[in-house]
Amino acid sequence: MSTAGATADPLAALGALPGVADSVESVRKSVDRVYGHRIMRRRSNAITSEAALRGARGSAALSGADWALEEVRRRSDFSGDDEARTVGASLRLTAEAGQLLSIWRQSPLRVLARLHLVAAADQADQVGRPRQEGEAVDEPLVRLPLPSAAEAHGRLEGLAGLIIAGGSAPALVTAAVVHGELLALRPFTSHNGLVARTAERIVLVGSGLDPKSVCPAEVGHAELGHEAYLEALEGYVSGTPEGVAAWIAHCGRAVELGARESTAVCEALQRGAA
């Protein structure tokens, strides 16, 4: 977020970076197409449920558990091994996200702590709070230097302050920054990727851009691939205007692909009803 300087609304300043306005407009058009589909007027709950399942599958894939959608759909036990536990954590987070929308703008740190608690699904001392100095972080698929616990705490507080203050930044920009900061900081000892992508979803839904949660960015992130995800994240962490803009554009493309996925679901339901 260093590219925003000392402006009163640093998130809004990021919206002025080259190419970001185009990404914002493209995302808006993609979302509008889904919401304008005739099936959305009759079966929006079914589309929301399917988007949640597909989003959870996509997020789990980015954390190393790349299961087929039908495998996620049919399974009921997610305790067997590390991959199963990752998929289970992703499903729990997706279900929990909708319960936290009203809290996010008032207390984002409380929401993040809750998300980590839900993902970890245990009562260990490290669960549900930011990591402390000397505590290891289990996030092997994010290959970035790990900030100190003190730096992570400070930047997390700063991010929370921006969210509480609000502002005029487009939802895509805020969602991308929340997602990028949480991955860069890895403030918890585990499940940071899953938590970051769930927080992105909360911003997109709570902002009103995707109020019915039918445009799962997690689907798009998974489709774009893990290497492209990490490359874009490295651009964000660099703090350069080009790098930050590229990360926002990457997140925008992920939302567009999520919207396309739900449009395909709408089309399938429409054919079935014909």
Side-chain angles (χ1 to χ4, degrees), residues 6 9 26 44 46 49 62 79 90 92 150 187 190 193 197 205 214 218 224-225 240 260 269:
D9 191 350
S26 183
S44 63
S49 295
L62 286 168
S79 61
S90 190
R92 290 193 301 274
S190 64
R197 291 184 288 274
V205 174
V214 295
E218 304 97 322
L224 290 167
T240 66
R260 187 183 71 178
L269 288 173

Side-chain angles (χ1 to χ4, degrees), residues 164-219:
I164 293 168
S168 60
L172 172 63
V173 172
T174 302
V177 168
V178 167
H179 186 169
E181 281 291 289
L182 291 174
L183 277 179
L185 299 177
R186 280 147 290 163
F188 302 107
T189 56
S190 64
H191 300 94
N192 290 286
L194 294 176
V195 169
R197 291 184 288 274
T198 304
E200 179 185 46
R201 173 185 285 263
I202 287 173
V203 174
L204 293 171
V205 174
S207 67
L209 175 64
D210 180 22
K212 294 183 182 295
S213 194
V214 295
C215 302
E218 304 97 322
V219 167

Side-chain angles (χ1 to χ4, degrees), residues 249-260:
H250 186 88
C251 291
R253 182 61 180 149
V255 176
E256 291 176 39
L257 291 171
R260 187 183 71 178

